[in-house]
């Protein structure tokens, strides 16, 4: 494989790229499972959320999560495409990427979310940025004259959202002013969205607006120092204050995976991994086939054989099982195979790639988590007996050390590499031995 080919396949395996619906690499895993009669993610995710929006007489609010790199954004883009199709939904989707508009390594605030939604809806409809923001800024300055001082000046009203993202002092000041008249702020925002929705119906001939607020699941993903504070702020927004997120338009919010065990409800979705193992940790062929297709759309079979040798299929299956059905980890390992100095990769080279995944997860598992992880590995459910367990569960979900799967109901398991961490393996062995001894005593 020459340098140009290596560059091509390396970039086709970008683990951080969310695919557009018409990308050749995009796989509708729900459809793939439907054709085989074995849903590899246990459910038809896009169709359920899509149909809820289409069939609802009143605006609905849904919360959607998944591990970064699990395909969540791709699924939401697929929904946005279908919902805009005149033959399917005929709604106007407004797709918001929180990474562009918010500091995701700081505590989240309800005011920011509502402001961004109204701002972005108006921008989507009219292409302008200053209508709602101009009225909001005028009201803020009239309410608190300090906002007229030089330290709070902004280059233009249309940049208010971006200035609040970049300047902590401005963001805090705006929050303080709005909180004094929060009810008025919410009433204005709701009225504005209702007006926009009516315009979309009457002037655009659509059935209404659908707001999809993506990337909020990445809150605190790149920080450890203030992670629990960020999670607590998100729990307040999406938990105790979630009634304020129910707007006069259909809304879908992504949330951090660590919140799933805190705010779970019938309005919450967790996009699971592709099931390559069953609950007994036996290989699950439909899931393996789905992951093979994910690989094939990036690396043709002849390239796989060049990289992995005559036993390419068996070696690729080893990597697939090692990924736990987590697309991002699979793509990272594919990149490592492309980067190998010599082809085909030797057995030691393949083990090195797998060990690098193990070492990554080992760094994310503190000793205090060993016992809790052994219990979860046995029961396959997220349970906690105290605040320490809850904190550990949140951390393990955040770092995708614990992965979600679905049969008839949700179950969880350790990432395959985590089973090989010595402390975790010893805790599991001790638990199994204690259970066997206890069973022997009873008999």
């Amino acid at each position: 494989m020459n340098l140009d080919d290596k560059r091509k396949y390396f970039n086709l395996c970008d683990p951080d790229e969310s695919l557009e619906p018409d990308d050749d690499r995009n796989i509708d895993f729900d459809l793939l499972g439907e054709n085989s009669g074995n849903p590899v993610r246990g459910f038809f995710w896009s169709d359920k959320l899509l149909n809820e929006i289409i069939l609802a007489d009143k605006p609905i609010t849904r919360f959607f999560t998944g591990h970064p790199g699990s395909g969540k954004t791709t699924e939401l883009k697929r929904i946005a495409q279908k919902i805009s199709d005149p033959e399917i939904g005929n709604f106007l989707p407004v797709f918001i990427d929180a990474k562009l508009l918010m500091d995701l390594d700081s505590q989240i605030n309800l005011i920011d979310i509502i402001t961004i939604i109204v701002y972005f809806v108006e921008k989507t409809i009219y292409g302008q940025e200053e209508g709602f923001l101009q009225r909001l800024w005028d009201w803020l300055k009239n309410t608190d004259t300090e906002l007229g001082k030089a330290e709070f000046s902004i280059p233009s009203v249309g940049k208010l959202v971006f200035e609040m993202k970049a300047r902590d002092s401005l963001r805090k000041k705006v929050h303080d002013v709005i909180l004094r008249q929060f009810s008025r702020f919410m009433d204005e925002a709701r009225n504005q969205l209702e007006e926009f929705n009516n315009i979309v119906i009457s002037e655009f001939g659509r059935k209404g607006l659908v707001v999809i607020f993506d990337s909020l699941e990445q809150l605190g993903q790149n920080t450890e120092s203030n992670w629990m504070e960020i999670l607590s702020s998100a729990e307040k927004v999406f938990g105790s204050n979630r009634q304020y997120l129910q707007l006069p338009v259909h809304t879908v919010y992504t949330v951090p995976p660590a919140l799933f065990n805190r705010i779970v409800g019938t309005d919450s979705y967790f996009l699971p991994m592709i099931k390559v193992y069953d609950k007994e940790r036996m290989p699950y062929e439909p899931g393996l086939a789905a992951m093979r297709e994910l690989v094939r759309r990036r690396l043709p079979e002849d390239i796989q054989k060049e990289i992995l040798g005559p036993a390419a299929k068996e070696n690729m299956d080893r990597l697939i099982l090692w990924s736990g059905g987590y697309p991002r980890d699979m793509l990272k390992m594919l990149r490592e195979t492309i980067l190998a100095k010599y082809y085909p990769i030797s057995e030691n080279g393949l083990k090195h790639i797998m060990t690098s995944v193990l070492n990554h997860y080992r760094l994310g598992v503190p000793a205090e988590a060993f016992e809790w992880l052994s219990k979860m590995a046995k029961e396959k459910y997220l349970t906690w007996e105290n605040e320490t367990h809850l904190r550990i569960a949140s951390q393990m979900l955040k770092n995708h050390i614990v992965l979600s799967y679905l049969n008839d109901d949700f179950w969880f398991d350790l990432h395959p590499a985590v089973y090989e961490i010595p402390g975790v393996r010893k805790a599991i062995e001790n638990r199994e031995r204690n259970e066997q001894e206890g069973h022997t005593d009873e008999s």
Side-chain angles (χ1 to χ4, degrees):
M1 187 161 41
N2 60 38
L3 183 60
D4 287 341
D5 285 341
K6 281 192 174 186
R7 183 180 295 109
K8 169 187 173 182
Y9 293 120
F10 182 82
N11 288 295
L12 285 175
C13 296
D14 185 352
D16 299 317
E17 181 183 6
S18 61
L19 303 181
E20 297 299 326
D22 57 355
D23 193 299
D24 290 339
R25 294 167 293 169
N26 194 341
I27 302 172
D28 189 336
F29 288 110
D30 294 345
L31 182 61
L32 191 68
E34 184 179 38
N35 289 342
S36 68
N38 295 286
V40 296
R41 290 190 303 204
F43 205 78
F44 305 121
W45 293 93
S46 296
D47 285 348
K48 185 173 190 297
L49 185 52
L50 180 71
N51 287 329
E52 280 191 313
I53 295 171
I54 291 173
L55 299 177
D57 288 333
K58 298 178 181 178
I60 65 169
T61 305
R62 294 294 180 265
F63 302 92
F64 199 78
T65 193
H67 297 291
S70 62
K72 170 198 53 58
T73 295
T74 297
E75 287 300 316
L76 291 175
K77 287 181 177 179
R78 181 178 289 116
I79 291 171
Q81 184 186 62
K82 289 181 178 179
I83 207 74
S84 67
D85 188 330
E87 301 298 322
I88 300 176
N90 197 30
F91 286 85
L92 178 64
V94 178
F95 201 97
I96 302 172
D97 186 350
K99 296 192 302 294
L100 304 178
L101 301 165
M102 301 176 68
D103 179 1
L104 297 181
D105 290 326
S106 297
Q107 294 184 41
I108 191 174
N109 190 287
L110 178 66
I111 291 169
D112 293 335
I113 292 178
I114 300 301
T115 300
I116 288 171
I117 288 175
V118 182
Y119 153 75
F120 216 81
V121 167
E122 183 175 45
K123 183 178 179 182
T124 300
I125 294 174
Y126 295 114
Q128 67 180 26
E129 300 182 341
E130 298 188 0
F132 168 74
L133 291 183
Q134 182 68 64
R135 294 189 294 277
L136 175 63
W137 186 240
D138 290 343
W139 173 59
L140 291 171
K141 289 196 297 182
N142 290 333
T143 304
D144 192 312
T145 56
E146 284 193 13
L147 281 170
K149 295 181 178 179
E151 63 180 298
F152 297 120
S153 64
I154 55 178
S156 69
V157 174
K159 301 297 181 183
L160 176 60
V161 169
F162 300 96
E163 290 293 312
M164 288 173 62
K165 172 187 176 181
R167 295 163 56 189
D168 189 55
S169 60
L170 175 63
R171 183 169 65 251
K172 287 181 177 179
K173 184 63 175 176
V174 169
H175 291 172
D176 289 342
V177 176
I178 290 178
L179 282 174
R180 295 178 212 157
Q181 300 188 51
F182 182 71
S183 294
R184 178 180 173 184
F185 168 76
M186 284 303 306
D187 287 343
E188 290 289 340
R190 291 178 188 277
N191 290 338
Q192 189 69 81
L193 286 173
E194 189 168 0
E195 179 182 333
F196 289 150
N197 197 57
N198 290 334
I199 289 171
V200 166
I201 294 172
S202 62
E203 297 184 15
F204 287 44
R206 300 288 190 123
K207 293 183 179 178
L209 288 161
V210 178
V211 173
I212 300 175
F213 209 133
D214 192 27
S215 299
L216 291 170
E217 82 288 348
Q218 297 181 34
L219 282 163
Q221 194 66 38
N222 299 316
T223 182
E224 295 293 338
S225 60
N226 61 334
W227 156 241
M228 290 308 297
E229 289 81 3
I230 293 173
L231 185 63
S232 295
S233 70
E235 184 176 10
K236 182 178 179 181
V237 169
F238 298 112
S240 58
N241 285 337
R242 69 195 302 166
Q243 71 270 22
Y244 297 113
L245 297 173
Q246 296 170 354
L247 302 172
V249 297
H250 296 295
T251 47
V252 179
Y253 303 92
T254 57
V255 298
L259 280 186
F260 185 74
N261 59 331
R262 297 171 182 245
I263 66 165
V264 64
T266 57
D267 57 359
S268 305
Y269 292 80
F270 198 134
L271 186 68
M273 295 294 109
I274 297 165
K275 187 172 63 175
V276 295
Y277 286 106
D278 61 21
K279 278 189 176 182
E280 285 68 44
R281 302 201 70 234
M282 297 298 294
Y284 182 68
E285 181 56 34
L288 282 166
M291 289 294 284
R292 291 183 196 120
E293 180 63 14
L294 179 148
V295 173
R296 188 193 66 77
R297 295 197 183 194
R298 291 161 174 81
L299 299 181
E301 290 183 3
D302 60 327
I303 299 298
Q304 294 181 43
K305 288 180 180 178
E306 180 179 350
I307 294 174
L308 295 175
K313 181 179 183 299
E314 292 77 9
N315 287 333
M316 191 61 74
D317 279 359
R318 288 170 64 186
L319 296 180
I320 289 172
L321 289 169
W322 193 241
S323 76
Y326 185 11
R328 176 165 290 185
D329 274 359
M330 189 67 227
L331 294 176
K332 286 180 177 179
M333 288 191 287
L334 290 182
R335 276 194 158 187
E336 289 299 317
T337 66
I338 295 168
L339 290 171
K341 187 172 184 179
Y342 299 110
Y343 299 153
I345 296 175
S346 66
E347 176 64 18
N348 284 338
L350 200 64
K351 287 181 178 179
H352 176 76
I353 291 172
M354 297 171 71
T355 301
S356 68
V357 177
L358 170 60
N359 290 336
H360 167 76
Y361 283 103
R362 182 181 291 177
L363 293 173
V365 180
E368 67 171 352
F370 292 164
E371 287 300 322
W372 182 85
L373 288 170
S374 72
K375 179 179 175 67
M376 205 234 67
K378 174 68 176 178
E379 297 178 351
K380 308 298 184 188
Y381 292 104
L382 296 178
T383 57
W384 55 89
E385 300 169 3
N386 50 50
E387 282 298 317
T388 299
H389 284 178
L390 181 59
R391 176 172 51 80
I392 291 172
S394 300
Q395 198 75 24
M396 298 303 100
L397 282 169
K398 175 202 173 192
N399 293 326
H400 32 88
I401 287 160
V402 169
L403 302 177
S404 66
Y405 299 91
L406 181 68
N407 289 341
D408 294 328
D409 61 355
F410 265 103
W411 55 282
F412 294 81
D413 205 351
L414 309 185
H415 189 291
V418 177
Y419 275 99
E420 301 305 317
I421 296 174
V424 175
R425 186 169 64 245
K426 183 178 180 180
I428 292 173
E429 291 170 352
N430 288 342
R431 181 175 294 276
E432 291 174 346
R433 183 170 57 251
N434 291 337
E435 288 180 355
Q436 290 173 357
E437 291 173 354
H439 180 71
T440 301
D441 291 342
E442 291 175 1
S443 60

